[in-house]
Amino acid sequence: MKLILLGAPGAGKGTQAEILSKKLSIPTISTGNILRAAMKNGTPVGLKAKEYVEKGALVPDEVIIGIIKERLAEPDCAGGFILDGVPRTIPQAEALESGGIGIDWALSIEVSDQVIIDRMSGRRTCPDCGASFHVVSNPPKAEGVCDACGAALTIRKDDAPETVKARLETYHAETEPLKAFYGARGKLKTVDNQPTIEATTAEIEKALGL
């Protein structure tokens, strides 16, 4: 199955992608993770991306699409994939299509802005291995420490409330129109956010007929 996950920043796309990835045995291609790795490693693409990310702006399409196409050419994507964080704009969606990257479904997780703001202020990330936690819904076993590798957890700059508001404005202006784009192609499924991760997963499985 070839899936795109849509939803505002903090809607839970990464968490649900991980669950679906295990269930369907297909990789999750998270542009955030690919970009963060490139930024951490100081690659030319990473340094270019960093300038945009720190301003809360979108990374240019040609940078994103190039990274994605390279990743999808790897053997583990032969049986399908989950795209998380791309496309973010209509031009990106068109670039994926014209690049021969087809999808089965675009799945949109619907969450209100206020819930997102509350949720993201509690997010904690491991700077070393990239694991993600939340002080309320998914706390680490020891406060402030990564379960996976023991590093000290941090609040990402783009999870600060003022950055979150800027990102939500960008989402509504740039990314939300993708729902109409995929809807017109008969490829859109929408799922309302549920009180728990498990309940949201159940709704997604129902929507995808799993």
Side-chain angles (χ1 to χ4, degrees), residues 185-200:
R185 286 156 174 74
K187 293 193 169 184
L188 180 72
K189 303 262 187 194
T190 58
V191 169
D192 286 328
N193 180 56
Q194 303 297 314
T196 65
I197 289 171
E198 293 74 17
T200 304

Side-chain angles (χ1 to χ4, degrees), residues 81-155:
F81 52 81
I82 300 165
L83 286 180
D84 167 20
V86 71
R88 289 195 185 206
T89 60
I90 301 277
Q92 279 184 7
E94 289 169 346
L96 287 175
E97 274 189 356
S98 61
I101 298 166
I103 62 143
D104 297 316
W105 298 110
L107 180 82
S108 177
I109 303 172
E110 306 288 318
V111 190
S112 75
D113 284 8
Q114 193 51 54
V115 168
I116 297 274
I117 292 164
D118 296 345
R119 185 184 284 181
M120 288 178 80
S121 61
R123 214 150 72 155
R124 301 292 181 270
T125 307
C126 176
D128 289 357
C129 75
S132 192
F133 300 90
H134 192 280
V135 292
V136 178
S137 63
N138 180 30
K141 291 188 181 81
E143 194 179 331
V145 178
C146 177
D147 291 354
C149 74
L153 298 175
T154 57
I155 298 174

Side-chain angles (χ1 to χ4, degrees), residues 156-186:
R156 282 187 3 216
K157 204 170 183 174
D158 50 358
D159 287 341
E162 58 280 6
T163 315
V164 173
K165 283 179 183 152
R167 289 174 73 199
L168 284 169
E169 280 169 26
T170 304
Y171 168 76
H172 292 305
E174 306 255 357
T175 307
E176 210 159 24
L178 285 169
K179 292 199 289 193
F181 179 90
Y182 287 112
R185 286 156 174 74

Side-chain angles (χ1 to χ4, degrees), residues 4-111:
I4 284 172
L5 291 190
L6 297 174
K13 299 185 297 295
T15 303
Q16 295 299 335
E18 216 173 286
I19 295 166
L20 283 170
S21 170
K22 286 188 184 125
K23 187 176 176 72
L24 298 169
S25 301
I26 54 177
T28 296
I29 314 301
S30 159
T31 39
N33 288 349
I34 299 174
L35 281 173
R36 274 193 288 281
M39 290 193 292
K40 193 175 175 186
N41 298 334
T43 66
V45 171
L47 293 172
K48 207 181 290 182
K50 194 172 186 178
E51 291 171 27
Y52 293 91
V53 171
E54 289 188 341
K55 284 187 285 206
L58 290 177
V59 178
D61 291 354
E62 64 274 12
V63 178
I64 299 282
I65 302 298
I67 290 177
I68 294 296
K69 286 188 82 166
E70 276 177 11
R71 181 66 187 84
L72 294 183
E74 291 177 25
D76 63 338
C77 294
F81 52 81
I82 300 165
L83 286 180
D84 167 20
V86 71
R88 289 195 185 206
T89 60
I90 301 277
Q92 279 184 7
E94 289 169 346
L96 287 175
E97 274 189 356
S98 61
I101 298 166
I103 62 143
D104 297 316
W105 298 110
L107 180 82
S108 177
I109 303 172
E110 306 288 318
V111 190

